[in-house]
């Protein structure tokens, strides 16, 4: 199965297929993947295949390497759909072998949800149906602002939802995995937001 990088610079999108060799990202022509971005260091980060998974590590860049909105200073294992930010460039990591279906619920096993959990899910998945190049789940702050409630309460609801949908604790991108599991179960769809907009 292919491992891909979706690279977004402004409105431009490029797809790069990774092989089984480490690759560096940077502005330098000597980098394995050269990025035409002045905010990217000459050698910015390194992607490495490790035991069937891929990791990314910042290699002393000036502006840092960000995964799903958090700056990372140590090597991180990547999950399918992780959003990598280097300079002004957004890269989405795609590995179809890392399907959440092996660890989350199947369509016919949607769990029972409280009213508040359903409200959290609606806001969590809202960006997934937005007209934007990069699909991602809402942040805790975005959910909190939309629901006019505290971030601590949102985190508590998310914790319960992770358990109900069997979203693994390891790695980054848990909110994205949860959103994908919710959509896969059929609890949320595009019509959810179309009906709410017309009401």
């Amino acid at each position: 199965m292919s491992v891909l990088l979706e690279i977004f610079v402004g409105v431009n999108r490029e797809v790069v297929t990774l092989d089984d060799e480490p690759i560096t990202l940077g502005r330098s022509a000597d980098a394995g993947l050269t990025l035409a971005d002045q905010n990217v260091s000459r050698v910015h980060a390194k992607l490495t295949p490790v035991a069937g998974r891929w990791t990314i590590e910042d290699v002393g860049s000036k502006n840092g390497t960000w995964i799903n909105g958090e700056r990372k200073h140590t090597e991180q294992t990547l999950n399918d759909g992780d959003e990598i930010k280097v300079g002004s460039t957004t890269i989405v990591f795609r590995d179809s072998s890392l399907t959440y279906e092996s660890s989350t619920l199947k369509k016919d096993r949607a769990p029972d949800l409280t009213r508040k959990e359903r409200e959290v899910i609606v806001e969590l998945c809202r960006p997934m149906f937005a007209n934007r190049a990069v699909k991602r789940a809402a942040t805790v702050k975005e959910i909190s602002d939309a629901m006019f409630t505290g971030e601590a309460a949102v985190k508590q609801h998310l914790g319960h939802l992770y358990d109900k949908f069997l979203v693994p604790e390891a790695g980054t991108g848990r909110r994205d995995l949860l959103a994908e599991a919710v959509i896969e179960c059929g609890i949320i769809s595009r019509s959810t937001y179309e009906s709410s907009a017309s009401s």
Side-chain angles (χ1 to χ4, degrees):
M1 296 184 180
S2 297
V3 179
L4 307 173
L5 297 179
E6 290 184 279
I7 304 170
F8 299 89
V9 181
V11 297
N12 297 319
R13 173 179 176 269
E14 178 185 0
V15 177
V16 173
T17 301
L18 299 179
D19 54 26
D20 291 327
E21 297 295 328
I23 185 172
T24 54
L25 313 178
R27 198 176 73 249
S28 170
D30 295 329
L33 178 57
T34 301
L35 302 172
D37 181 345
Q38 291 303 309
N39 294 313
V40 169
S41 296
R42 290 180 58 78
V43 180
H44 196 108
K46 183 178 182 180
L47 286 159
T48 306
V50 179
R53 299 289 299 271
W54 280 82
T55 66
I56 188 168
E57 182 178 13
D58 189 272
V59 289
S61 69
K62 179 179 179 182
N63 293 321
T65 298
W66 302 71
I67 310 295
N68 301 319
E70 296 182 15
R71 186 168 185 171
K72 300 297 182 181
H73 301 280
T74 59
E75 188 174 27
Q76 299 290 314
T77 299
L78 292 170
N79 291 302
D80 180 53
D82 276 353
E83 183 178 308
I84 304 163
K85 188 84 170 179
V86 290
S88 302
T89 301
T90 297
I91 301 171
V92 179
F93 177 80
R94 299 290 184 193
D95 185 345
S96 56
S97 69
L98 300 178
T99 174
Y100 60 86
E101 291 181 352
S102 63
S103 57
T104 54
L105 296 175
K106 306 301 183 185
K107 279 188 176 181
D108 60 350
R109 296 183 57 206
D112 293 328
L113 302 174
T114 67
R115 182 175 61 84
K116 280 296 184 184
E117 287 172 350
R118 187 170 292 275
E119 289 176 12
V120 168
I121 279 175
V122 168
E123 296 307 325
L124 173 80
C125 296
R126 188 178 297 277
M128 303 290 280
F129 295 98
N131 294 322
R132 58 178 64 173
V134 178
K135 300 299 182 185
R136 62 163 181 81
T139 64
V140 171
K141 185 178 189 309
E142 288 170 338
I143 298 170
S144 171
D145 290 347
M147 293 180 62
F148 302 101
T149 189
E151 292 186 23
V154 171
K155 288 179 181 178
Q156 185 175 36
H157 289 307
L158 285 173
H160 295 154
L161 288 165
Y162 292 143
D163 290 340
K164 288 186 176 184
F165 284 88
L166 307 180
V167 178
E169 293 185 15
T172 58
R174 290 190 82 196
R175 282 179 288 101
D176 290 327
L177 290 175
L178 174 60
E180 291 170 1
V182 167
I183 294 168
E184 178 68 18
C185 284
I187 297 172
I188 296 293
S189 66
R190 186 174 298 277
S191 62
T192 304
Y193 305 98
E194 293 171 349
S195 60
S196 63
S198 60
S199 60

